[in-house]
Amino acid sequence: MDWLYKLIAHSSDAVILVGGAVSTAVLALVLARISRPLLFSPHDEALESHSKLADVVHGSLLAFSVFVLALVLTEVRSSLGKADDAELREASVIARLVRDLQALGTEDASIASERVKDYVRSAVSVEWETLAQREPSLAEETDRAMASLVAQVNTVAANNPAAASALRAYVEKLEDLRQSRLEIATKSVPPVFWWAMAVFIVGAMIMNGRHKLDAIGMTLIAFHMGAIGLVVALILVMDSPFRGETSVSPASMVRAARLSSP
């Protein structure tokens, strides 16, 4: 499955969506064409007496697939929204930390402001990529940037007791929000789900062979299964909040740290 993940990671959303719909429609037509002569045509008379049962089986496979896909689509959309909210909260904390450090106006505070920029620069350029991997992780380079930031803020806090509590609270909040990014990134759809869904969707595709495969029938099958493939592709697009075009942008953090570019 690594090749599929890499393909998705390096493809645009439009390519993924169109590819998902077209590939599912084509697969459905191929399976219907194969299953028709192998499973259904030789047993038309026997199947006639069980047509209602066949409709129930076919409908159940489709209904289950669509229902579960709708639930998962809602879940991945929620995860994407939570990741976006977490990035905005982190940007807010960074903006307040930079503001308070600049208000102090000391040399140590200026160095701490640079450490904030180093941390944000590492987070948006390095850690965003590690979070987008199939097995998300926090970047070691960003770990070092965070450690350097914590040490420098502690130095500033020691020399400025009045601001010490707020400065340390900002840094602790940053560490918590950084960890929450990893937690959100790891909440992807497990591979076993896709295997289970494949069984139901392929089963529904095979059951399409019950119908007469003329031009109209094949067109309806293609549209029907293509729509399901489109939903599957949409889930893949949003499954990783830090991967691809539809992902969490670090722009707010960059602006909060007053960087010219990531």
Side-chain angles (χ1 to χ4, degrees):
M1 297 294 290
D2 287 340
W3 66 270
L4 179 59
Y5 191 90
K6 291 179 180 179
L7 179 63
I8 294 171
H10 293 89
S11 300
S12 67
D13 290 351
V15 170
I16 296 172
L17 293 173
V18 173
V22 172
S23 60
T24 306
V26 171
L27 179 61
L29 292 175
V30 170
L31 291 179
R33 294 286 295 183
I34 293 174
S35 64
R36 177 68 181 171
L38 292 180
L39 301 177
F40 299 106
S41 292
H43 309 288
D44 279 342
E45 293 184 3
L47 287 172
E48 185 66 25
S49 61
H50 297 87
S51 59
K52 291 185 178 180
L53 178 59
D55 289 338
V56 170
V57 172
H58 195 187
S60 297
L61 291 171
L62 289 170
F64 178 83
S65 301
V66 172
F67 176 71
V68 175
L69 287 174
L71 291 178
V72 175
L73 181 60
T74 302
E75 181 64 24
V76 296
R77 176 64 187 87
S78 175
S79 295
L80 182 62
K82 290 177 181 178
D84 198 27
D85 291 342
E87 191 269 344
L88 291 174
R89 287 195 296 271
E90 191 167 1
S92 175
V93 174
I94 290 170
R96 284 179 283 170
L97 176 58
V98 170
R99 178 200 62 196
D100 287 5
L101 288 172
Q102 291 185 341
L104 292 175
T106 64
E107 182 178 353
D108 286 342
S110 296
I111 296 174
S113 295
E114 292 301 316
R115 296 292 179 270
V116 174
K117 293 181 179 180
D118 291 341
Y119 163 72
V120 174
R121 191 177 292 111
S122 175
V124 303
S125 63
V126 179
E127 196 156 80
W128 241 249
E129 294 183 2
T130 62
L131 290 172
Q133 296 174 357
R134 185 177 182 184
E135 295 182 0
S137 63
L138 297 176
E140 293 183 3
E141 178 181 323
T142 311
D143 284 338
R144 293 191 292 269
M146 173 60 78
S148 179
L149 171 60
V150 171
Q152 186 61 34
V153 168
N154 284 336
T155 299
V156 176
N159 296 329
N160 298 272
S165 178
L167 293 176
R168 291 194 175 104
Y170 291 146
V171 173
E172 290 176 2
K173 186 63 175 177
L174 275 182
E175 291 182 297
D176 291 340
L177 289 170
R178 180 174 176 241
Q179 187 63 38
S180 72
R181 277 195 269 118
L182 177 61
E183 294 172 0
I184 294 171
T186 56
K187 293 180 180 179
S188 59
V189 179
V192 67
F193 165 83
W194 294 115
W195 287 112
M197 287 305 303
V199 172
F200 284 93
I201 294 175
V202 170
M205 291 177 176
I206 293 174
M207 291 296 290
N208 284 326
R210 297 185 303 119
H211 306 294
K212 184 179 179 181
L213 299 179
D214 53 15
I216 295 178
M218 294 178 67
T219 301
L220 293 175
I221 290 172
F223 273 114
H224 188 190
M225 302 310 298
I228 293 178
L230 187 64
V231 175
V232 171
L234 190 58
I235 292 173
L236 292 174
V237 164
M238 296 192 295
D239 187 31
S240 178
F242 301 94
R243 179 198 67 204
E245 294 178 351
T246 303
S247 60
V248 177
S249 171
S252 296
M253 291 174 58
V254 171
R255 289 193 298 269
R258 303 181 185 180
L259 295 174
S260 57
S261 60

